[in-house]
Amino acid sequence: MDIKKTYRKFYPAVGLGVSLLVAWQFLVQLMHIPAYLFPTPLDIANALAGHGVGMLADLGITIEIALCGFALAVILGSGIAVLMVLSKRIENAVFPYVIIVQVTPIVALAPLIVLLMKNTFWSLVFISLLISIFPIVSNTTLGLKSVPEGLISVFGLYNASKSQVMFRLRFMSALPYFLGSLRISTGLALVGAVVGGFVAGSTGSNSGIAYDILQDGYNLEVSQLFASVFLLAVTGIAFFAIVSMVNWRVLYRWHESYSMD
């Protein structure tokens, strides 16, 4: 792998980002927009410098919630997908409820979840789980079913057991689908942690960086609010980058989506 070539792919994005920041700073100053309405990048940087330690501590809580929700989504989502592929009856029974979880606005259910579970941390983990599990169930199920009939017939000729077909054939076929779903679910898990944090934070509970965003909004500390959102964006990018690296390490040698050309 050519490291320099890989880094060069990011040059246009970095250049566009720097240009947008410069334009943002210039236009806000030119139009004399006050910081409490729309801060400049320098205002946000100053907010980070002045309050970054506290923000990072609260961000750590949000990251912990998101990672717990994501881990549970991976375990439960992949398990549900395997069960649905093994048994059509289980699929018919379970999949409608998976759809219901996906299409129901979790924002509407979040206050009820926080109220019923009482423990703020685990209620937010549960909300993160609900938001992030659907891509894993859906993509993994699709991958487990996307096996050519010819290969299944070959395994049948050698009297392969159901477990051998599942783990040596279907699992390998589903691996790109499963890993691709993780890139979606990591971001959704973070969204779930923040959405749940807004609900729990409105009750006065310290629920991560979402609580900071609520307080900054109430106090019109817009620069600090933007700084918190910036930290969340960086965290989301880091999650995506880590999972993408795992995808590449697992698939680049044999899957066409990671062609070395």
Side-chain angles (χ1 to χ4, degrees), residues 101-117:
V101 170
Q102 170 64 15
V103 301
T104 302
I106 302 300
V107 176
L109 294 179
L112 181 62
I113 293 171
V114 172
L115 180 64
L116 292 177
M117 294 190 68

Side-chain angles (χ1 to χ4, degrees), residues 48-143:
L48 279 172
H51 305 275
V53 175
M55 290 179 183
L56 289 175
D58 289 333
L59 179 65
I61 298 174
T62 299
I63 291 174
E64 186 178 0
I65 292 168
L67 290 178
C68 287
F70 174 68
L72 290 174
V74 171
I75 295 170
L76 293 177
S78 56
I80 291 171
V82 170
L83 290 175
M84 289 197 302
V85 171
L86 288 175
S87 171
K88 192 67 177 179
R89 183 173 297 179
I90 293 176
E91 181 180 7
N92 292 336
V94 172
F95 197 67
Y97 295 98
V98 175
I99 297 295
I100 290 172
V101 170
Q102 170 64 15
V103 301
T104 302
I106 302 300
V107 176
L109 294 179
L112 181 62
I113 293 171
V114 172
L115 180 64
L116 292 177
M117 294 190 68
K118 295 183 180 180
N119 184 296
T120 300
F121 179 85
W122 287 110
S123 64
L124 301 190
V125 168
F126 185 64
I127 293 169
S128 178
L129 161 66
L130 289 180
I131 290 181
S132 60
I133 194 172
F134 180 79
I136 296 175
V137 174
S138 179
N139 284 24
T140 305
T141 302
L142 177 62

Side-chain angles (χ1 to χ4, degrees), residues 135 139-140 142-144 146 173-182 251 255:
N139 284 24
T140 305
L142 177 62
L144 290 171
S146 299
S173 173
L175 194 56
Y177 295 84
F178 171 71
L179 293 174
S181 72
L182 299 188
L251 301 176
H255 197 260

Side-chain angles (χ1 to χ4, degrees), residues 141-204:
T141 302
L142 177 62
L144 290 171
K145 290 183 175 181
S146 299
V147 179
E149 287 295 329
L151 291 178
I152 295 178
S153 299
V154 170
F155 271 64
L157 289 174
Y158 288 93
N159 297 318
S161 65
K162 284 188 176 181
S163 62
Q164 288 175 323
V165 173
M166 173 61 69
F167 293 106
R168 297 189 179 184
L169 178 59
R170 292 190 184 275
F171 180 77
M172 293 305 296
S173 173
L175 194 56
Y177 295 84
F178 171 71
L179 293 174
S181 72
L182 299 188
R183 289 193 290 188
I184 303 171
S185 291
T186 48
L188 292 178
L190 185 61
V191 170
V194 175
V195 168
F198 285 147
V199 176
S202 64
T203 66

